[in-house]
Amino acid sequence: MSEETRPSSRARRAPRPKPGLNVLEERIGHVFADRSLLSLALTHVSKAGGGGRVGSYQRLEFLGDRVLGLAIADLLYEAFPQADEGDLSRRLAGLVRRETCASVATAWDVGPHLALGPGEIQSGGRRNQTILADACESILGAVFLDAG
């Protein structure tokens, strides 16, 4: 690409418009009846207004972590009828991990949808594995509340 056709560094840093939430809903396989739940599930504490932690995804993340654990435990219980509690626990721990949740969020392309504060945006928060894992769990919590 020649110097004349390459966008300026300022243009490359300019904020890109967020894709619509319908794009994310399609990827996760759920259309929200209450889309405010999805918006909340994508709001990092750095972006939450005066509500701080309550206005962020943290409560949904808490719920989503438990929903994920229960769903995987149920699947393992059915899939391995001869396994003892220790074996089931090891399998559960191997599946329900921060890295796995971050990978799911990456597959869903959650990053562009995240509502982050300026500091998190500057530090690459849309690719931060911890934030992506937390967002994955919060989305699961939001889907649970929206659909049961």
Side-chain angles (χ1 to χ4, degrees):
M1 185 179 275
S2 75
E3 192 68 32
E4 296 166 4
T5 60
R6 188 171 60 188
S8 70
S9 62
R10 183 179 203 153
R12 289 191 306 267
R13 286 191 312 262
R16 295 183 187 105
K18 285 186 182 182
L21 290 179
N22 59 316
V23 173
L24 183 57
E25 287 175 325
E26 187 175 315
R27 286 188 197 119
I28 65 176
H30 177 74
V31 176
F32 280 81
D34 181 358
R35 198 174 263 177
S36 69
L37 285 169
L38 180 57
S39 294
L40 182 61
L42 297 167
T43 304
H44 187 263
V45 69
S46 67
K47 184 67 172 182
R53 297 185 194 294
V54 175
S56 74
Y57 61 53
Q58 289 183 326
R59 288 176 46 85
L60 286 172
E61 175 196 349
F62 168 82
L63 179 61
D65 179 55
R66 276 61 186 180
V67 168
L68 177 60
L70 178 60
I72 298 299
D74 182 51
L75 288 171
L76 292 172
Y77 186 85
E78 292 298 322
F80 301 98
Q82 302 304 315
D84 64 18
E85 183 270 341
D87 184 39
L88 293 172
S89 292
R90 281 186 292 282
R91 289 175 186 272
L92 179 73
L95 293 170
V96 181
R97 302 176 23 225
R98 181 160 304 282
E99 296 83 5
T100 306
C101 290
S103 292
V104 169
T106 299
W108 287 342
D109 198 23
V110 168
H113 299 277
L114 291 171
L116 302 171
E120 286 298 338
I121 292 170
Q122 291 292 357
S123 66
R126 295 187 194 288
R127 295 178 312 278
N128 180 295
Q129 296 299 288
T130 299
I131 292 174
L132 289 171
D134 292 348
C136 177
E137 290 177 341
S138 67
I139 290 168
L140 294 174
V143 168
F144 176 77
L145 290 178
D146 194 63

